[in-house]
Amino acid sequence: MHSYICAGMPLHSQGGRWTLAPILLAAERAWAWVTAANEVKQMIRKIGLGLVALMLAAGCSGSDGSNGKDGAQGEKGDNGQDGQDGTGFDTTASVSGVFPGFALLGASIEVTLSGFATSWDETTSVSFGDGVTVSDVRVASPTALIVTVEVAGTASMGLRDVTVTTGDEALTYAQGFNLGSPIAVVVNGDMLQGSVVNATIKNMDPSRPFDDTSVPSGLFSVRYTNLELNAPAGVSVFSLDSVTPTSAEVTLFVDGDAATGVGALEVLSGPDGEQDSFPHPEAFEIKANTPEALTLNDTTDITVSANGESHYLVADIPAGVKIVEMNAVSGTADPFLVGLGAAPHLDTYIGLDPFVVGVSDAANKWYSVLWSPYGDVDYTASVTVNTIDATAIAEGASNDGKSSAVALALPGVVQGAELADDLDEDWFSITVSASDVGKSIYVGTTNGDPLTDTYITVYDPSDAVFDEVEDSGFHEQLVTGAIVDAGTYYIAISASSFGLIAGNTKYDAYAYLK
């Protein structure tokens, strides 16, 4: 066997034939190892790429891809069921609107009416019911009217029908217009017979402000000259406390025998001849009340529970000319007595004070009202009623000075006196004995006209002013300082410096020592 080297590879000769079998076998084996090695590498690479992909998938996800193309349209579905038949278009004529739909009593306003399928023309008329006058109708179009309405102050408040008539056709807008009061009345507490109540009157018509013109009246008060209140019989204005363009604070007095039920109130604002009316047909409701009996010449305790509360009181006064003293005291509050005298009416008013003195000349009931106006609540007021026998005299024909003073025996009463004018003075003389030194003179005006505005001055025997009133009310009552000297004292009763109010000039007077 011969061996050669060919291209660096050994060749073998076997049986005369040259062969590469060993060489090829070795090559195949070598290639197998190479291939295996490459497969391992590819496997490792795939495993590595797979791990990377898993790691990327675990770390975050990419954004969604875009939507694919719409698929082919499906087959048409079955038709739905037929709907119900419609009702058709209604062409019936009607009133479709009223604007504004509200008016105040006593007002004159323009109202616009709109219609549907109407044929309104110059013959068309409009009605808003009783108490509302239609003074002008203007046809803006066949479906629009502009009307001027004037509302009476006595018209019934509330909703009402509006009727539009053209020829034989009458169209009604049911409950389409509302009437209300130009004022709202808010009462503190109940309007009871024989009571004093505070009320706020709110002006609901901004186009017509209340007239708040005022003049001084007393040291700390004013009188509003251009605002009046008209109330039903049995309800009186006790005082008009304040007025602004938008409201008024008022104190009302309800007589003990005032009719029960709904009561009307009217505010008149402005100077005479130019007053605006603000009516309210249903301003308040008066409720029944029975007076509490007082024991004569003794004390009766009255419990007051609420602010502004009042109690209607009555006492039996025996026959004869009497000076009647009433007093209300409390250790924790400041109650007032409104003395009414022999009738439960404000027009017999004799005074307002914790201590009230009046004159009685016959057996009768003596009425009064205990009133708590200062916010005091939950207290007891002790009310006493005492009578003093007195001698009555008339004013006299001429008693306008010291030299013509009419003698008044004490305890004494002057009946039926009157001030002729703002300059008139009525003079009376009283005699004080030595045994009266140290006492006080009780003197005052009462009865007559409730708003007689008097002034009282007392002179001592030397003609010096001994004492005088503060002029803080209408009827006055004065308790002087202690008497120092015996002798003749003079009482001068004149008109207040604020002047007399027309129709209020009469008075009674009393004087006694205590």
Side-chain angles (χ1 to χ4, degrees):
M1 181 180 71
H2 301 279
S3 296
Y4 297 91
I5 301 299
C6 181
M9 296 182 184
L11 297 177
H12 298 273
S13 173
Q14 186 176 2
R17 297 179 63 186
W18 299 95
T19 178
L20 295 174
I23 298 172
L24 291 174
L25 180 61
E28 286 176 0
R29 289 178 179 174
W31 179 252
W33 280 107
V34 170
T35 300
N38 286 337
E39 287 178 354
V40 171
K41 288 181 181 179
Q42 290 295 328
M43 186 178 296
I44 291 172
R45 181 179 298 170
K46 288 180 181 180
I47 292 172
L49 290 174
L51 289 173
V52 170
L54 287 174
M55 291 171 64
L56 289 174
C60 60
S61 62
S63 58
D64 294 341
S66 58
N67 292 331
K69 294 182 179 180
D70 293 340
Q73 183 173 354
E75 296 182 358
K76 182 178 180 181
D78 296 334
N79 293 331
Q81 295 181 351
D82 292 338
Q84 295 180 349
D85 292 339
T87 58
F89 184 70
D90 187 0
T91 59
T92 304
S94 65
V95 180
S96 56
V98 178
F99 181 81
F102 178 83
L104 299 173
L105 301 183
S108 177
I109 65 169
E110 282 192 345
V111 179
T112 299
L113 289 84
S114 58
F116 173 77
T118 55
S119 300
W120 292 335
D121 57 29
E122 286 74 11
T123 67
T124 300
S125 63
V126 182
S127 173
F128 290 80
D130 294 340
V132 180
T133 301
V134 179
S135 61
D136 183 42
V137 178
R138 285 170 284 164
V139 182
S141 75
T143 58
L145 299 173
I146 300 173
V147 301
T148 300
V149 299
E150 297 175 358
V151 184
T154 55
S156 298
M157 296 190 298
L159 292 168
R160 52 183 54 214
D161 296 346
V162 181
T163 301
V164 182
T165 303
T166 305
D168 295 332
E169 180 186 62
L171 306 176
T172 298
Y173 193 146
Q175 305 288 282
F177 199 65
N178 197 8
L179 296 184
S181 172
I183 57 174
V185 181
V186 181
V187 177
N188 179 23
D190 291 327
M191 292 276 289
L192 300 173
Q193 292 174 320
S195 66
V196 183
V197 294
N198 297 112
T200 300
I201 303 173
K202 299 180 180 180
N203 185 347
M204 309 303 290
D205 186 353
S207 68
R208 300 186 298 161
F210 286 158
D211 189 334
D212 57 358
T213 303
S214 65
V215 296
S217 177
L219 294 177
F220 306 107
S221 61
V222 297
R223 182 162 55 91
Y224 296 94
T225 58
N226 289 357
L227 201 76
E228 298 179 36
L229 270 65
N230 289 332
V235 178
S236 305
V237 179
F238 193 72
S239 64
L240 189 56
D241 305 315
S242 68
V243 178
T244 70
T246 58
S247 68
E249 299 292 333
V250 61
T251 302
L252 301 174
F253 187 89
V254 185
D255 288 347
D257 56 1
T260 58
V262 174
L265 185 70
E266 180 186 24
V267 175
L268 296 175
S269 175
D272 291 341
E274 303 176 20
Q275 292 176 318
D276 286 327
S277 173
F278 297 79
H280 197 318
E282 303 171 5
F284 44 72
E285 181 182 4
I286 300 174
K287 299 180 180 179
N289 192 22
T290 302
E292 303 172 55
L294 298 176
T295 304
L296 192 63
N297 300 318
D298 201 351
T299 298
T300 303
D301 289 338
I302 306 293
T303 299
V304 178
S305 302
N307 176 31
E309 183 175 308
S310 58
H311 290 257
Y312 182 29
L313 310 174
V314 64
D316 287 317
I317 306 300
V321 177
K322 309 285 184 183
I323 296 173
V324 181
E325 291 182 332
M326 298 188 67
N327 193 21
V329 296
S330 173
T332 60
D334 190 13
F336 272 81
L337 276 175
V338 183
L340 303 177
H345 308 145
L346 188 62
D347 60 10
T348 60
Y349 164 77
I350 60 174
L352 168 67
D353 207 277
F355 180 73
V356 176
V357 181
V359 174
S360 174
D361 59 4
N364 51 51
K365 301 285 186 182
W366 192 265
Y367 296 92
S368 60
V369 175
L370 177 72
W371 181 35
S372 184
Y374 295 132
D376 299 316
V377 297
D378 297 329
Y379 69 90
T380 299
S382 297
V383 181
T384 58
V385 184
N386 297 316
T387 59
I388 302 170
D389 293 333
T391 300
I393 65 168
E395 175 188 352
S398 177
N399 62 333
D400 55 1
K402 176 183 176 182
S403 60
S404 58
V406 176
L408 179 62
L410 300 181
V413 171
V414 180
Q415 293 181 318
E418 184 173 8
L419 293 170
D421 53 42
D422 290 349
L423 301 179
D424 188 18
E425 291 185 345
D426 295 335
W427 284 69
F428 306 94
S429 64
I430 59 175
T431 301
V432 176
S433 66
S435 62
D436 295 323
V437 172
K439 296 180 180 179
S440 294
I441 301 172
Y442 285 64
V443 58
T445 55
T446 184
N447 299 346
D449 297 319
L451 300 182
T452 300
D453 199 355
T454 56
Y455 191 85
I456 301 174
T457 307
V458 177
Y459 297 89
D460 67 16
S462 68
D463 291 339
V465 174
F466 181 59
D467 214 333
E468 58 189 333
V469 295
E470 296 180 355
D471 199 15
S472 58
F474 292 99
H475 287 311
E476 304 285 354
Q477 58 185 32
L478 171 65
V479 179
T480 71
I483 296 170
V484 177
D485 301 313
T488 301
Y489 287 73
Y490 293 88
I491 299 170
I493 299 176
S494 60
S496 165
S497 60
F498 298 103
L500 295 173
I501 297 174
N504 290 268
T505 59
K506 297 178 180 180
Y507 69 93
D508 289 348
Y510 61 85
Y512 62 101
L513 302 178
K514 189 175 178 180

